């Protein structure tokens, strides 16, 4: 026990023992500066300096632009920019996807490469066919009261109801004889109309030219995009009067009848009508006579 006490006293004596740090002039040995130090003072002062240096470094990193040079540490501006770039990338991916689908539809229009999915309308109607004799058509009391209330409101209604006309009227591209009609089973998604060479071919409706080029199989081809998802296609033209990107109006001349392309059999117009990416019989909308 005495040894431990003696050892503690020696350690305390060493820590508190005074030393003098003297700075002398090397030539004259004149004393310039002197300090009274102890080991404890040196240890405490050094520890405080280290703690202060660590705190100052932390403040510089946290509240100055120097933090941006530390690997793995990103600023708020960089995070915001990365987020905006992520959104832009996602938008570009969507635009690219829609563009590829659009180009794929154009390819199908040009090549006629589409599956012929026929539906038996009679079988569909049979599923929903109702026997009128089993239905009770006697008006109930609530129905009669509702009809009387609506009639009373309409009696004093001073404003006419807005009527939206959804019927689509298309302008005939040319007048002539239809030599081959629309036939989905034979993959002929068009009508062939015979006319004299250089007869003006007109736009069936207001729209924009989305394709106007030469193809080996169908010669001069021009495709218009219209409202309601309609696309009209004109093939085997002798020449084209419009280019891609032009805006045309119904009845405006866009091409002339010709006999171009490997699949042609004489001067005629090969006319196709597509509705939302599906072929449609043009005779349902246009009278070519």
């Amino acid at each position: 026990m005495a040894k431990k006490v003696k050892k503690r006293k020696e350690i305390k004596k060493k820590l508190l023992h005074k030393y003098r740090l003297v700075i002398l002039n090397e030539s004259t040995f004149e004393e310039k500066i002197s300090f009274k130090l102890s080991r404890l003072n040196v240890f405490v002062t050094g520890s405080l300096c280290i703690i202060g240096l660590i705190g100052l470094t932390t403040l510089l990193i946290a509240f100055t632009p120097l933090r941006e040079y530390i690997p793995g540490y990103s600023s708020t501006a960089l995070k915001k920019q990365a987020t905006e770039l992520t959104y832009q990338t996602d938008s570009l991916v969507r635009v690219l996807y829609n563009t590829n689908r659009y180009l794929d539809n154009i390819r199908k229009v040009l090549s006629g490469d589409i599956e012929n999915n026929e539906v038996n309308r009679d079988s569909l109607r049979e599923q929903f066919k109702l026997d009128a004799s089993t239905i009770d058509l006697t008006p109930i009391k609530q129905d009669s009261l509702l009809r009387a209330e609506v009639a009373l409101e309409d009696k004093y209604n001073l404003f006419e109801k807005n009527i939206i006309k959804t019927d689509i009227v298309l302008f005939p591209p040319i007048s002539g004889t239809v030599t081959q009609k629309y036939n989905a089973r034979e993959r002929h998604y068009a009508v062939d109309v015979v006319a004299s060479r250089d007869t003006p071919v007109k736009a069936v409706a207001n729209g924009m030219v989305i394709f106007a080029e030469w193809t080996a199989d169908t010669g001069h081809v021009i495709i218009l995009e219209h409202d309601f998802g309609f696309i009209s296609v004109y093939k085997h033209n002798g020449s084209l009067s419009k280019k891609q990107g032009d805006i045309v109006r119904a009845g405006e001349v866009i091409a002339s009848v010709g006999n171009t392309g490997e699949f042609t059999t004489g001067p005629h117009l090969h006319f196709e009508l597509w509705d939302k990416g599906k072929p449609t019989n043009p005779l349902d909308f246009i009278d070519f006579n």
Side-chain angles (χ1 to χ4, degrees):
M1 185 68 180
K3 292 182 178 180
K4 291 184 178 180
V5 173
K6 185 178 180 181
K7 188 174 182 180
R8 290 178 181 175
K9 289 182 178 180
E10 290 179 356
I11 293 174
K12 183 177 180 181
K13 183 178 180 180
K14 290 181 180 180
L15 290 174
L16 299 177
H17 188 76
K18 299 293 183 180
Y19 297 90
R20 179 181 293 275
L21 177 63
V22 180
I23 300 177
L24 301 176
N25 190 328
E26 186 178 0
S27 300
T28 61
F29 295 99
E30 180 182 358
E31 183 178 330
K32 296 294 183 180
I33 302 175
S34 65
F35 300 96
K36 290 183 179 180
L37 301 174
S38 64
R39 294 182 179 180
L40 181 61
N41 290 340
V42 173
F43 177 76
V44 172
T45 303
S47 299
L48 292 176
C49 292
I50 293 173
I51 293 173
L53 182 61
I54 293 174
L56 180 62
T57 304
T58 303
L59 292 175
L60 288 175
I61 294 175
F63 299 101
T64 63
L66 292 175
R67 62 180 182 273
E68 297 182 7
Y69 295 96
I70 299 177
Y73 190 95
S74 60
S75 64
T76 304
L78 291 177
K79 290 181 179 179
K80 183 179 179 181
Q81 186 178 6
T83 303
E84 292 177 352
L85 290 176
T86 301
Y87 288 141
Q88 292 178 2
T89 303
D90 183 66
S91 299
L92 290 175
V93 170
R94 292 179 178 272
V95 170
L96 180 61
Y97 174 74
N98 293 332
T99 302
N100 289 335
R101 289 187 59 187
Y102 179 77
L103 293 176
D104 186 59
N105 287 334
I106 295 299
R107 181 188 61 80
K108 290 181 179 180
V109 171
L110 291 175
S111 61
D113 183 16
I114 185 171
E115 295 181 359
N116 182 20
N117 297 325
E118 295 185 356
V119 178
N120 190 344
R121 297 183 181 179
D122 294 334
S123 62
L124 292 177
R125 291 172 182 171
E126 191 67 25
Q127 296 178 9
F128 301 97
K129 187 176 180 180
L130 298 177
D131 188 0
S133 61
T134 61
I135 302 175
D136 185 10
L137 300 178
T138 304
I140 61 176
K141 182 179 179 181
Q142 291 81 355
D143 181 68
S144 301
L145 292 176
L146 179 60
R147 290 176 182 271
E149 184 179 354
V150 173
L152 183 61
E153 291 180 356
D154 291 342
K155 181 178 180 181
Y156 299 100
N157 188 8
L158 301 180
F159 301 95
E160 296 181 357
K161 297 180 179 179
N162 294 327
I163 301 177
I164 302 176
K165 187 176 181 180
T166 58
D167 294 337
I168 301 175
V169 179
L170 300 181
F171 193 89
I174 62 172
S175 296
T177 303
V178 177
T179 57
Q180 188 173 0
K181 296 182 179 181
Y182 177 91
N183 191 331
R185 293 184 178 180
E186 297 181 359
R187 304 178 66 84
H188 187 260
Y189 307 111
V191 292
D192 292 338
V193 185
V194 174
S196 302
R197 189 186 297 271
D198 297 332
T199 299
V201 177
K202 303 175 183 178
V204 297
N206 298 340
M208 182 179 68
V209 179
I210 59 175
F211 184 86
E213 298 291 343
W214 163 272
T215 64
D217 295 336
T218 55
H220 290 292
V221 179
I222 185 168
I223 303 176
L224 306 183
E225 183 180 21
H226 312 283
D227 295 333
F228 308 105
F230 273 93
I231 292 179
S232 57
V233 184
Y234 314 77
K235 297 181 179 180
H236 301 301
N237 298 287
S239 62
L240 303 179
S241 304
K242 300 294 181 180
K243 63 181 182 301
Q244 184 175 348
D246 288 347
I247 304 298
V248 298
R249 300 185 64 83
E252 186 175 355
V253 176
I254 58 175
S256 63
V257 174
N259 186 29
T260 59
E262 295 181 3
F263 295 161
T264 185
T265 56
H268 74 286
L269 173 64
H270 177 98
F271 178 74
E272 301 176 11
L273 194 61
W274 294 68
D275 181 15
K276 297 181 179 63
K278 298 294 183 180
T280 305
N281 188 355
L283 295 178
D284 295 340
F285 299 89
I286 302 174
D287 183 11
F288 291 91
N289 296 327

